[in-house]
Amino acid sequence: MADKPEDLNLPMAVVSRITREALPETCSVSKEARLALSKAASVFILYTTSCANNIASKNKRKTLASSDVLAAMEEMEFETFLDPLRESLDAYRQEQNQIKERKAAKKKKVPTATLR
């Protein structure tokens, strides 16, 4: 666990990038607002993790699974985010499978050595 509560905040560069991408170019965000967003996001992540951990514990597991996070989102009444989260999770899994397949294909290619 973190030594100080500040260690749990998202990096300001990440918060700045997310806010820049989410808002029109004509809109600026103050340093205080970025800090507030960082703290709010950290609290949200901690709460979601706690709920997901409770779900995993009820199922007698110590490892959180993506299904626990999705169930936590539903428990927290964030159902509107479930479909986009599932889509993102599916895209991530497909990307990981493609990476595995490429690595397996590279391993199958055995270099031919010529003997002289």
Side-chain angles (χ1 to χ4, degrees), residues 51-105:
C51 289
N53 185 52
N54 290 341
I55 291 166
S57 294
K58 286 177 189 173
N59 292 313
K60 298 180 181 171
R61 290 182 287 107
K62 291 183 179 181
T63 303
L64 297 183
S66 56
S67 58
D68 300 322
V69 176
L70 292 171
M73 294 295 286
E74 191 169 3
E75 185 177 295
M76 297 181 328
E77 299 181 6
F78 282 99
E79 294 91 356
T80 54
F81 293 105
L82 289 176
D83 285 338
L85 285 172
R86 285 187 186 107
E87 290 171 12
S88 294
L89 182 59
D90 288 342
Y92 171 78
R93 287 176 176 160
Q94 288 175 359
E95 185 179 322
Q96 293 303 305
N97 284 335
Q98 289 172 354
I99 291 170
K100 278 184 188 178
E101 289 170 3
R102 277 182 269 176
K103 285 182 180 179

Side-chain angles (χ1 to χ4, degrees), residues 16-29:
S16 294
R17 188 180 73 232
I18 292 170
T19 55
R20 253 194 327 270
E21 290 174 8
L23 297 172
E25 288 182 25
T26 57
C27 186
S28 62
V29 180

